Amino acid sequence: MNDPKLIYVTLIRTTPARLWEALTNPDFIQQYWFGRRNTSSWKEGEVIESRSPEGELEWHGKILKSVPETEVVFSFDDLEYPEPPSTVTFRIEALGTGTMPQGQAVQLTVIHDDFPAESKVREGVMNGWPAILSSLKSLLETGKSLELGWKGDG
């Protein structure tokens, strides 16, 4: 049996366009992902790569679905652990649609799933996503990301 999926929901005072830029622009990503750069064309079928602040490839994947300002889904192959790739979904929804709260903000839902049983990757990202998403929210709302780092970062 696979481990359960991870789901994180964050409300951010921003627009869908600005959030999409924050999720897909390597220079923006580097500000809240603790120096890491995720690069891709963000088109379906294309490669996505994430590099450490030193330029080392840490994980890569393939864009499985991409709808600008709405959703992007990609495979996530962590190079540290010999596991099959998992799947990450970023879903962007403006508040005031459907049964969601009303207001001038955007709901970002991050779903990370398709882990094998007893996944080391799941253990790692379970701690990483809250820090990344908190830093993203802070950057978009205040102009400053959180000053955090990963264990082992120089």
Side-chain angles (χ1 to χ4, degrees), residues 15-141:
T15 65
R18 184 79 170 133
L19 181 53
W20 180 259
E21 178 188 3
L23 294 172
T24 60
N25 179 313
D27 294 329
F28 209 122
I29 293 165
Q30 188 172 16
Q31 294 177 67
Y32 67 85
W33 208 304
F34 313 109
R36 281 144 178 87
R37 292 179 63 85
N38 301 342
T39 57
S40 179
S41 70
W42 303 99
K43 293 182 168 82
E44 193 171 317
E46 296 293 325
V47 171
I48 180 172
E49 292 184 338
S50 182
R51 296 191 178 272
S52 71
E54 298 75 35
E56 182 180 324
L57 183 63
E58 293 183 322
W59 61 265
H60 62 94
K62 181 178 174 182
I63 304 296
L64 305 173
K65 179 180 179 182
S66 184
V67 181
E69 298 182 26
T70 303
E71 183 177 42
V72 65
V73 181
F74 54 90
S75 61
F76 182 97
D77 191 0
D78 188 312
L79 300 179
E80 186 174 354
Y81 302 105
E83 296 181 10
S86 51
T87 304
V88 176
T89 300
F90 292 150
R91 191 169 296 137
I92 301 169
E93 299 173 81
L95 293 186
T97 60
T99 59
M100 296 182 1
Q102 304 295 305
Q104 295 183 339
V106 174
Q107 178 173 297
L108 172 61
T109 303
V110 176
I111 303 166
H112 198 151
D113 61 354
D114 296 330
F115 298 102
E118 301 183 30
S119 170
K120 291 288 187 187
V121 172
R122 184 178 187 279
E123 287 178 29
V125 299
M126 203 165 87
N127 296 313
W129 282 121
I132 292 164
L133 297 174
S134 294
S135 191
L136 168 63
K137 178 179 173 70
S138 180
L139 180 59
L140 285 170
E141 292 183 348

